[in-house]
Amino acid sequence: MTATNPGPAHSTSEAPFRLTDSETNPMCIYLVKNDSKGDKLLFRYPFHSFGGPVKVSLNDHKRSLHKDAGLEKTARPHDLTIFTDDVISSLFAVKMELCDRKFELKVNNVRFIGHPMQLQTGGNESTSGGGEGGNKKPQSPSIIMINIVFALDAFARRQISNCYYDLSKILGVALRHEEKRCAYLSSQIKDMLYIHDTMANECDLDSSTDNNKHFEKILETSSLALDLKSVFEGVVTNGLIKLKVNDWVDVSFCLPHKVHHFYRDGQYFEPESINKCLKGLRPYHGLLLMAERKVLLDNLPQDSSPSIVRLINMYNPVKSLETLSADSDLTLAQVFNIAGHLIYWGDAIVIFPLSETNMYAIAPNVPTERNNKFAKKFEKRFPGQKLLEVMSEFSFPTSLQYKMCPIEDKSSGSTTIQMLIWLLQHKMLLQYHTYVYFMPSSKGLGYYNDESEFHDYNNKHPSEAPMTTYQTLSENWLQLSSGGYSSSMSSAEEMFHSLDEDEQIALMHIPASANPDDFRLLMRLLKQGYLSGEHHLEEIMYLENIRRSELLKLLDKFKDVLVTVEMEDPIISNFYSH
């Protein structure tokens, strides 16, 4: 059985935003139970940060819940010492009616997030070890509530608190499964309660005993406590959690805010960007793995889908998703799903397949200090190469073909390609695409404000105006229609008539308009909406099945009315700082 977070579908936010670590990192994780014997805080981590709880009565604390917590955002004292163990257990041990739904409690500057679960214990023969074997102890069934709660900054954004809610739910589902399978949770609770009772007696005999000793002892003996510690440290360090509850249930979880890094201080990845990326993903896009193939395969869970393994084995940065689909013998929908999984977990980013015609430039906010950690890492990976020198070659959008030696191997194994891949993996280069705008002369770029000016120009330069009037163009269409171009030219003529008069005049002056093939292609692209600056050349090539050379020739012939702009693909730029 594998428990994983639901992924990007649950995100509901906007563009990348700025956060602090206090907003993304939890302050503490709690495990609370409630059954017929009462409620109890079984474990919390970290426990040394509390420095000994301050005695606050439950009634006083409940009264504080009704007070306005309107503190300034700049002052956020996260004082967890006011919450004694008894207060915590009373607050988090909710009634059975509130189980299996979201638990959220805000007290002053702290927001507590969890997913309480009701489950039946002791119904099966339990084993003391939770695995195979052990002493079987028949127990009578009983109902118990457990709640795994995270303490967060009260001002943490909703997207972040939702992630921790999902994590609490996933952990609860894993424990419910293990309780049903082998009474694992009952065994762990019994061991924790025994340590609590034993240490409580020692505290009564010796008042100097550290109040956190019982949690330390639990951490030494309980596998569940170790798992909760691993969860806390995972989300704080890199946002990744991969563990086996009771050496049986795989629990995998990812915090996209921590997994995807930006160079700009305080800017964190927005999960909604993944949704935008997946919605805009096209078959001509490609993938770039963020780690070596072997490392990625070794980190996959044991029960991973064979489709993921097959796609990773067939991966190559020069392949499009459509090519990967054919090579891996997978449907395009499967490839898109696997790509979304890899992107969400930070194992891959979206790129356009590597090609000589690709243009790259330095990405925004990349570190350019001498001897920074990335420079040292780069020099270690490519001896004799200097990171800043290589980056300086991409100060302006530069085509890859100008960086390749004529005799250099152009495969993905060449040194130049490997350096490019390294820079893309570290998001230091951003690819630029050519977007096309249809800009007739009278709309801002050209030479004529009305038809009279057009005729004046033709009278002065008769050799440069192969079609001097609209009637001449119409005669050409009639001749072309009789020559087998009836359907296509009819569509082109219809598109031409839909243009404004000044746009028609600008086109009539261009000699290439007399060529039926060029004119039909231009009208087709214009009719499909490709010349509005929203589609780059690679997308037009794929959708219309046009060769790059043919498209570039068209741009050159109609350069008086077509303007090209170099910009990044918005789908890919979501993974870069702004």
Side-chain angles (χ1 to χ4, degrees):
M1 177 181 176
T2 303
T4 58
N5 56 324
H10 288 261
S11 305
T12 58
S13 47
E14 299 298 331
F17 51 84
R18 296 176 61 83
L19 297 171
T20 60
D21 286 339
S22 63
E23 290 184 78
T24 57
N25 294 339
M27 291 171 279
C28 190
I29 184 173
Y30 305 89
L31 174 63
V32 174
K33 70 92 180 175
N34 186 22
D35 56 14
S36 58
K37 298 180 181 179
D39 54 74
K40 183 70 177 179
L41 172 63
L42 299 173
F43 183 72
R44 57 173 158 86
Y45 186 87
F47 38 82
H48 287 294
S49 61
F50 283 73
V54 177
K55 297 299 182 181
V56 177
S57 69
L58 180 59
N59 291 332
D60 291 340
H61 188 72
K62 285 184 176 180
R63 283 196 297 269
S64 70
L65 297 180
H66 300 282
K67 294 180 180 180
D68 179 60
L71 300 178
E72 294 295 334
K73 271 195 172 185
T74 55
R76 302 182 185 178
H78 301 126
D79 186 9
L80 298 179
T81 60
I82 65 173
F83 305 108
T84 65
D85 293 353
D86 291 339
V87 168
I88 289 294
S89 62
S90 298
L91 291 176
F92 299 165
V94 301
K95 296 180 179 180
M96 294 300 178
E97 298 82 39
L98 300 179
C99 290
D100 294 307
R101 63 181 66 181
K102 186 175 183 179
F103 170 84
E104 182 172 347
L105 175 65
K106 180 180 176 182
V107 182
N108 293 336
N109 292 303
V110 181
R111 186 185 303 274
F112 298 100
I113 299 292
H115 183 84
M117 279 193 163
Q118 176 183 335
L119 46 88
Q120 182 174 298
T121 65
N124 299 327
E125 291 182 334
S126 63
T127 58
S128 59
E132 297 181 359
N135 299 323
K136 297 182 179 180
K137 301 177 181 179
Q139 298 180 359
S140 58
S142 60
I143 301 299
I144 187 174
M145 186 283 305
I146 61 167
N147 196 3
I148 299 174
V149 181
F150 293 92
L152 305 176
D153 188 316
F155 299 98
R157 300 181 185 254
R158 179 61 57 185
Q159 307 91 314
I160 298 176
S161 63
N162 287 341
C163 288
Y164 284 102
Y165 163 71
D166 291 335
L167 177 55
S168 174
K169 184 177 180 179
I170 289 172
L171 294 172
V173 170
L175 292 177
R176 173 185 283 173
H177 176 273
E178 284 305 278
E179 178 63 26
K180 184 177 181 180
R181 186 181 70 88
C182 60
Y184 168 72
L185 182 60
S186 298
S187 174
Q188 292 294 306
I189 291 177
K190 181 179 179 181
D191 294 341
M192 291 180 181
L193 289 175
Y194 175 78
I195 293 175
H196 277 290
D197 294 340
T198 303
M199 299 300 293
N201 293 332
E202 293 181 5
C203 289
D204 293 339
L205 297 175
D206 185 3
S207 59
S208 64
T209 303
D210 187 356
N211 291 329
N212 294 321
K213 284 291 185 180
H214 52 301
F215 292 125
E216 294 180 4
K217 185 68 174 178
I218 290 174
L219 190 59
E220 294 174 0
T221 59
S222 170
S223 61
L224 177 55
L226 287 173
D227 287 341
L228 294 178
K229 175 188 176 184
S230 176
V231 167
F232 180 87
E233 293 177 344
V235 296
V236 169
T237 53
N238 57 15
L240 291 176
I241 298 171
K242 294 182 179 180
L243 57 88
K244 258 188 183 308
V245 175
N246 193 29
D247 293 327
W248 190 267
V249 180
D250 283 311
V251 173
S252 301
F253 190 84
C254 164
L255 277 177
H257 315 85
K258 302 293 288 287
V259 171
H260 297 270
H261 303 287
F262 288 128
Y263 289 114
R264 186 177 180 182
D265 293 337
Q267 183 176 343
Y268 284 77
F269 190 77
E270 176 53 67
E272 180 63 18
S273 297
I274 299 179
N275 282 344
K276 295 179 181 178
C277 173
L278 297 182
K279 289 178 181 178
L281 205 59
R282 297 294 181 266
Y284 56 78
H285 281 125
L287 286 178
L288 179 67
L289 297 183
M290 304 300 284
E292 295 294 332
R293 190 198 316 267
K294 186 179 184 303
V295 174
L296 187 56
L297 290 173
D298 291 341
N299 288 334
L300 290 177
Q302 294 180 355
D303 59 348
S304 295
S305 170
S307 300
I308 300 180
V309 177
R310 192 155 68 246
L311 183 139
I312 294 176
N313 283 326
M314 298 304 300
Y315 156 81
N316 194 305
V318 302
K319 294 181 179 179
S320 66
L321 296 179
E322 188 174 43
T323 304
L324 276 176
S325 173
D327 293 347
S328 305
D329 194 23
L330 300 171
T331 65
L332 199 56
Q334 287 178 298
V335 172
F336 274 42
N337 288 334
I338 296 174
H341 173 84
L342 295 174
I343 293 168
Y344 186 82
W345 281 81
D347 293 325
I349 59 174
V350 179
I351 63 169
F352 188 82
L354 300 186
S355 171
E356 292 182 2
T357 58
N358 290 1
M359 288 190 300
Y360 300 95
I362 299 177
N365 303 310
V366 297
T368 55
E369 301 84 4
R370 290 181 178 272
N371 299 321
N372 61 67
K373 63 177 182 179
F374 297 102
K376 296 177 181 178
K377 187 178 179 181
F378 182 83
E379 293 171 11
K380 183 178 180 181
R381 174 67 176 83
F382 303 101
Q385 300 289 341
K386 301 294 184 181
L387 176 60
L388 295 184
E389 292 180 3
V390 175
M391 291 173 58
S392 65
E393 299 176 359
F394 296 94
S395 297
F396 296 96
T398 305
S399 177
L400 182 58
Q401 59 186 346
Y402 297 115
K403 300 301 177 185
M404 300 286 293
C405 175
I407 61 174
E408 186 177 4
D409 178 19
K410 292 181 173 57
S411 66
S412 60
S414 68
T415 303
T416 303
I417 297 298
Q418 286 301 312
M419 288 193 296
L420 177 67
I421 290 175
W422 191 95
L423 292 171
L424 290 173
Q425 287 176 331
H426 291 77
K427 301 178 184 177
M428 293 186 172
L429 288 185
L430 180 60
Q431 182 175 354
Y432 283 77
H433 297 266
T434 301
Y435 292 80
V436 186
Y437 289 86
F438 177 63
M439 297 285 289
S441 57
S442 60
K443 291 269 178 111
L445 287 184
Y447 318 99
Y448 318 110
N449 292 325
D450 53 42
E451 189 173 0
S452 60
E453 293 185 27
F454 170 75
H455 288 300
D456 291 342
Y457 184 94
N458 288 340
N459 293 332
K460 296 178 182 179
H461 306 85
S463 61
E464 298 181 19
M467 293 179 294
T468 57
T469 63
Y470 176 79
Q471 287 75 14
T472 305
L473 184 59
S474 300
E475 292 175 1
N476 281 2
W477 283 338
L478 291 175
Q479 296 174 3
L480 291 169
S481 299
S482 61
Y485 292 96
S486 178
S487 176
S488 58
M489 289 308 297
S490 175
S491 176
E493 183 178 4
E494 180 183 348
M495 182 62 205
F496 182 81
H497 281 297
S498 67
L499 299 177
D500 296 338
E501 182 178 357
D502 52 357
E503 295 174 340
Q504 296 177 5
I505 294 173
L507 283 174
M508 288 163 58
H509 173 67
I510 300 175
S513 296
N515 186 309
D517 292 331
D518 293 337
F519 187 78
R520 282 188 295 114
L521 178 57
L522 178 67
M523 291 297 102
R524 190 176 93 197
L525 298 181
L526 196 57
K527 185 176 182 179
Q528 296 295 335
Y530 295 135
L531 306 183
S532 59
E534 298 180 357
H535 305 271
H536 52 70
L537 294 189
E538 289 76 15
E539 184 175 10
I540 299 173
M541 290 163 52
Y542 175 82
L543 295 176
E544 294 298 319
N545 194 23
I546 304 175
R547 294 190 301 271
R548 179 181 292 273
S549 59
E550 183 180 359
L551 199 52
L552 292 178
K553 288 179 181 178
L554 184 74
L555 295 179
D556 182 63
K557 292 178 180 179
F558 290 91
K559 60 184 178 182
D560 290 339
V561 294
L562 296 180
V563 178
T564 58
V565 179
E566 308 298 337
M567 296 186 297
E568 67 272 15
D569 188 335
I571 302 303
I572 298 176
S573 64
N574 284 325
F575 298 92
Y576 290 80
S577 37
H578 300 282

